[in-house]
Amino acid sequence: TGAGIYAEAGDGYITINGNNIHNNEADGDYAAGGGIYARGYLQITGNDIAGNKVSGHCAIGGGIAAFYKTPGNGGGDYEAEIPEDAQILYMADNLIEDNTVSGNHALGGGIVLDRITNGASIDDASATAISAENRAVILSNTIINNMVQSLGNTGGGGGISVRYLGDEESAADIQATSASAPIAGDIIIGYNLIAQNEVSAGSLGVGCGIYINQLANTIVPNNVIAEN
């Protein structure tokens, strides 16, 4: 995990800027982040992240695996509560290219975001722009030629995979709020070039460009998504 860079913020903030992160490999039963594995409050900008690989039974995030909370074994308990109105992740102006994940369960050839939000929406109908009120901003990145190779039945998110498995109360809150008015996106994926990413799976390959499987509100504006 974190073959190129492994970083945990604790109570602080991690900034990863201007690095060339190439040709690193992570493997194991649970492996994540061939280029970068980072947990906490994160700013990842201006990096060249290419040719990294992740392999294992569960393999995620060929280029970047970004978390706020620590995943437990088998998706169990997670640490800490996410503060209200906190921006957890800002990721911009990165080149994320030719990264690969391969495993029985494989997600996010370029990027995987996991537990970046707490499943609860930001309660502000006017905050629709990119701002500090967004939990995560994925902005103006070039995400190309990344690959998900699932040796099992399913794989997803050749370019980007966003996942959060929340509880029933969170799901109800999201549905109730979304039905009443458009609100700020907990996650914004905007102004990116997402092209020529691939998913190969036994029976079901989903989201060659972007795969979103979560409860929090996600807005995907003004991207170029082509030839995936």
Side-chain angles (χ1 to χ4, degrees), residues 12 14 22 25 37 47 73 76 79 95 101 113 116 139 151 153 181 184 188 192 195 216 219-220:
I14 294 172
H22 295 171
E25 290 192 38
Y37 175 103
N47 300 285
N73 294 330
E79 292 181 356
L95 172 62
V101 292
L113 309 182
I116 293 296
L139 181 69
L151 307 178
N153 290 327
I188 291 198
N192 301 284
I219 298 174
V220 184

Side-chain angles (χ1 to χ4, degrees), residues 30-47:
Y30 175 89
I36 298 171
Y37 175 103
R39 182 174 69 86
Y41 291 92
L42 309 172
Q43 186 173 79
I44 302 173
T45 57
N47 300 285

Side-chain angles (χ1 to χ4, degrees), residues 143 157-161 194-195 197-199 206-211 225-226 228:
I143 303 165
I160 301 174
S161 175
I194 303 168
N197 302 287
E198 297 183 36
V199 174
V206 293
C208 291
I210 302 173
Y211 173 56
I225 303 171
N228 297 288

Side-chain angles (χ1 to χ4, degrees), residues 110-228:
I111 300 169
V112 69
L113 309 182
D114 195 314
R115 296 275 171 159
I116 293 296
T117 77
N118 59 3
S121 302
I122 299 166
D123 188 16
D124 182 355
S126 64
T128 57
I130 296 170
S131 72
E133 293 189 351
N134 305 123
R135 298 286 195 222
V137 175
I138 313 302
L139 181 69
S140 299
N141 300 281
T142 299
I143 303 165
I144 55 175
N145 296 321
N146 300 288
M147 167 69 81
V148 171
Q149 297 173 324
S150 175
L151 307 178
N153 290 327
T154 61
I160 301 174
S161 175
V162 181
R163 67 178 192 170
Y164 172 83
L165 303 177
D167 55 29
E168 293 180 1
E169 182 178 356
S170 296
D173 291 343
I174 292 295
Q175 290 166 2
T177 307
S178 297
S180 61
I183 66 171
D186 284 331
I187 296 174
I188 291 198
I189 302 171
Y191 300 91
N192 301 284
L193 171 61
I194 303 168
Q196 298 180 339
N197 302 287
E198 297 183 36
V199 174
S200 173
S203 62
L204 180 63
V206 293
C208 291
I210 302 173
Y211 173 56
I212 299 170
N213 181 17
Q214 60 135 20
L215 296 175
N217 293 275
T218 304
I219 298 174
V220 184
N222 299 304
N223 298 279
V224 175
I225 303 171
E227 299 182 7
N228 297 288

